[in-house]
Structures are given as structure tokens and as C-alpha cells.
Amino acid sequence: MYKCTIIGISDRREQWFTPEVLQVISKGKVFSGGRRHHEIMASYLPEDARWIDITVPLSDVFEKYSTCDDVVIFASGDPLFFGFAATVQREVPGVQMKVYPSFNSLQMLAHRLNLPYQDMHVVSLTGRPWDKFDEALISGESFIGVLTDRHNTPQVIWNRMQEFGYDNYRMTVGENLGNEEKECVSPFRPDKEYAQPNCLILQKLSARTRSFGIPESEFHLLNGRAKMITKMPIRLLSLSMLDLHQKRSMWDVGFCTGSVSIEAKLQFPHLQVTAFEVREEGKALMEQNSRKFGTPGITAVIGDFIETDTSVYPAPDAIFIGGHGGKLKEMILKIKEVMMPGACIVFNSVSEESKQMFEEGVREAGLQITRCSRMALDDFNPIYILKAE
């Protein structure tokens, strides 16, 4: 197995290295990095140096590395901070690796703003989904550092924040940090095109209300029908039974207005929430209510749940069934095939008939009911909240 040394560099045309790093470079034979890194480092390399460009697919790059005894790799900033060192460790388990870090871009941006950054909540959107960014917003993090890419630009990030009502942050963008000729640090402007590479810092200016238990009257309703929504006390008890602190992926089957999904995402921002609804109107309702309550990241799926290919969604370890259209047993059996070990299903029954149907479906699926609570609200009929594991 080859050895590798990974050296973090900045975007400066003139780099500063310790004597130890300079010795590593002078003795190196095979070097690697992105094209931008090659432009910066070309004058520092030995005359007989061989260069391997880091391009996709990465499997080809690592195949070339495997023919070498030792590779010196250049990476931006700190290679162990969302950087190439982690990629090497993943692709070549047990590799002998030495890392020489430089400042990462978010450190440099904090330095330019004279901001102590020990409490910075860091999120990477570089080739990654929105999950961690959404979680930081919903949780109300005060100081967020964001790594961007060519798709998740400052403009795209700002638009997402505005769509879900997060206008309570100040955004500062750093472009070409470390490049003495091109570096620019400035407050975000919606009309500006930002040069790559860039990163940004969000500073919270005011707290956003995050309710614990949203009154049903606050939701946009299906045709204005107040009965077509899980009432707040029932909703909170159902979420409590799902034990969502310990879960990662929740399915809300028959979401209607989206109240259970939205309440779950507000209280447990780390959750991946996938919500299913047969009615086409559900899509607009989920969009409206998600925007109103600031819950980005909920995946809404419209169509007959029994006919839906659920294999493309994260397997659930918590399932809430809010509507079944007479197909409750079929739903339970389908869910049983994909639910994670230790998962649970919670169902609200408004009648003895549906309660019996749930109990039969649970038995057929080889599960067992571990909890059953009965609750009556105002003039509504009593509701059974059942949990199966």
C-alpha cells in the first residue's frame, strides 16, 4: 500500500511552508491535486515531478495512486475539514497518511470579520444535500458557517432561507479567500454574482418563534375542514410515542395537511421526514404549511401508498399512519417489509372498526402492540393512539 502526504494550501500565489513541508516537496516524485492547485504549486515542484490531476471519477485517480510508493497531495485549507483527507481514508482504509493543514476558508472568513469562531456551527453544502443546513436553521443556530459549491451558491442559499421565512440572519460572503488579487469579503447582495470558490457566514439577528404544539387553527386546511387534521394534543402524544429523539427517518403516511410531519420536523430537526398522501391537494398544503412554519426538507410524495415505490426513500425507523383509505392492513404489511430494526408504528384510531383493523394488521405482520392510550377532546369522539413494534 502506498503512503501519502496531504498538504493544505491557500489560494495565495506565493505560499509559505515550514522547513519540514518544503523538504517533503523537494523529495517528492509524484504529486497530485486539482488543476487550480497545480497552477499555484507548479513553481515549487521538482523538475522531474509527475502530476496526477484529481478529477472525476475518483476511482481512476486512486487507481493511478496505487501504482506509486508515495504521493504528495495538495488540497485547499485543512484537508481534514470536509476535505480530501477524509476521501483518501474512505477509499483506502488503513492508508499511511500525514497531513499538514492550512487555514480553512471559514476560519479565514471569520478572521477577516474579527469573529471568534469557537461556537461556529459548520455546514457543508459542497456536493451534499440540504439536511444539515435545514437542521441548523430550524434549530435556530446563532452562528453558521456554510461551505458552498457551484450549485449551492449564496444566491440559492438565500432564496431557500427566504422561502421558509428565515429572514432573521445577516449573511457575509467571502470570495477567493487567500488570493491577494481576487479576495473579496462583503455583505450578501441578491443582485450580485459571486466568484468561486466562496463560503459564507450567517449571524442570527433575532430569534424566530418555534412553537411546541401548533394549534390546528394555524394550519392551511383541506377545503377548510377542521376535522381533517390531527389535533394538537393527539399530535404531540403520537410524536411522543414515536420516541423521535432516537430515530433518524420518519414516514408520515396519509399526511393530509402535513401537521404531524411539520410538528415532527420542528421538534426534531435532525429527522428525515418522508410524507405520503393520495390526494393531489396534499402537495400544495404541505408546501404552504411548511413555508408558514419554517420546515424545509420534508419530502412530500403524492399517490396511492400501496402502489408507490418506497425503495427510493430512506427506510423508516418511525412511522405514523394518519390516513389509510380502507387499506390499513396492506399498509402495515408493506411498511413491515422496509422498516428498520427497532422501528415502531403509531396509529390514531377514531373508531372500534379501525382499531380492530390495525390490531389484525399488526398481528399478520408479526408485530405487537406495546401501548394503547385513549383520549377525548372537547366534543369529539374518543381516539385511540396505538403503538406497534
Side-chain angles (χ1 to χ4, degrees), residues 251 253 305-308 310 316 319 321 324 326-340 345 347 357-368 388:
W251 283 8
V253 183
F305 178 76
I306 301 301
E307 303 299 325
T308 298
T310 59
I319 304 97
I321 301 178
H324 55 86
K327 300 178 180 179
L328 186 54
K329 287 185 183 180
E330 294 94 322
M331 282 183 175
I332 295 170
L333 291 171
K334 180 169 184 171
I335 290 167
K336 174 60 169 61
E337 293 302 311
V338 296
M339 61 195 291
M340 299 287 285
I345 303 173
F347 172 65
M357 195 184 306
F358 181 76
E359 291 170 340
E360 291 174 359
V362 164
R363 282 196 299 271
E364 288 184 28
L367 307 174
Q368 61 180 359

Side-chain angles (χ1 to χ4, degrees), residues 159-166 208 220 262 266 283-298:
N159 289 343
R160 186 176 181 86
M161 293 173 67
Q162 300 309 299
E163 180 183 359
F164 290 94
Y166 290 95
R208 192 181 191 281
H220 295 283
I262 288 167
L266 275 179
K283 183 175 178 61
L285 279 175
M286 180 66 86
E287 290 174 353
Q288 292 170 349
N289 286 320
S290 291
R291 291 191 186 105
K292 181 174 183 179
F293 298 108
T295 52
I298 297 173

Side-chain angles (χ1 to χ4, degrees), residues 149 304 361 365:
D149 64 15
D304 186 334

Side-chain angles (χ1 to χ4, degrees), residues 35 70 104 139 141 157 160 167 173 274 290 322 344 350 355 383:
R35 290 191 175 94
D70 201 343
N104 67 62
S139 298
E141 297 290 347
I157 293 166
R160 186 176 181 86
D167 55 1
V173 184
T274 309
S290 291
C344 64
V350 297
K355 178 174 178 288
I383 294 177

Side-chain angles (χ1 to χ4, degrees), residues 120-121 123 133 136-137 141-146 169 200-202:
M120 182 190 294
H121 183 95
V123 175
F133 181 74
L137 286 182
E141 297 290 347
S142 297
F143 183 18
I144 308 172
V146 185
Y169 283 88
L200 58 92
I201 282 177
L202 297 171

Side-chain angles (χ1 to χ4, degrees), residues 104-144:
N104 67 62
S105 59
L106 287 174
Q107 286 176 314
M108 287 194 286
L109 183 52
H111 292 162
R112 303 299 187 266
L113 299 172
N114 288 325
L115 289 174
Y117 58 88
Q118 66 270 11
D119 295 325
M120 182 190 294
H121 183 95
V122 176
V123 175
S124 175
L125 290 176
T126 306
R128 290 173 168 83
W130 289 102
D131 299 9
K132 294 297 182 182
F133 181 74
D134 294 341
E135 181 180 344
L137 286 182
I138 298 170
S139 298
E141 297 290 347
S142 297
F143 183 18
I144 308 172

Side-chain angles (χ1 to χ4, degrees), residues 4-7 31-38 51-62 64-65 71-76 79 83-85 87-88 91:
C4 72
T5 303
I6 308 182
I7 301 171
F31 298 86
S32 185
R35 290 191 175 94
R36 182 165 54 89
H37 301 136
H38 192 199
W51 183 271
I52 299 173
D53 268 325
I54 297 177
T55 57
V56 292
L58 288 177
S59 57
D60 291 348
V61 177
F62 284 98
K64 293 175 183 176
Y65 288 174
V71 183
V72 178
I73 303 169
F74 298 105
S76 298
F84 197 66
T87 304
V88 173
E91 296 294 326

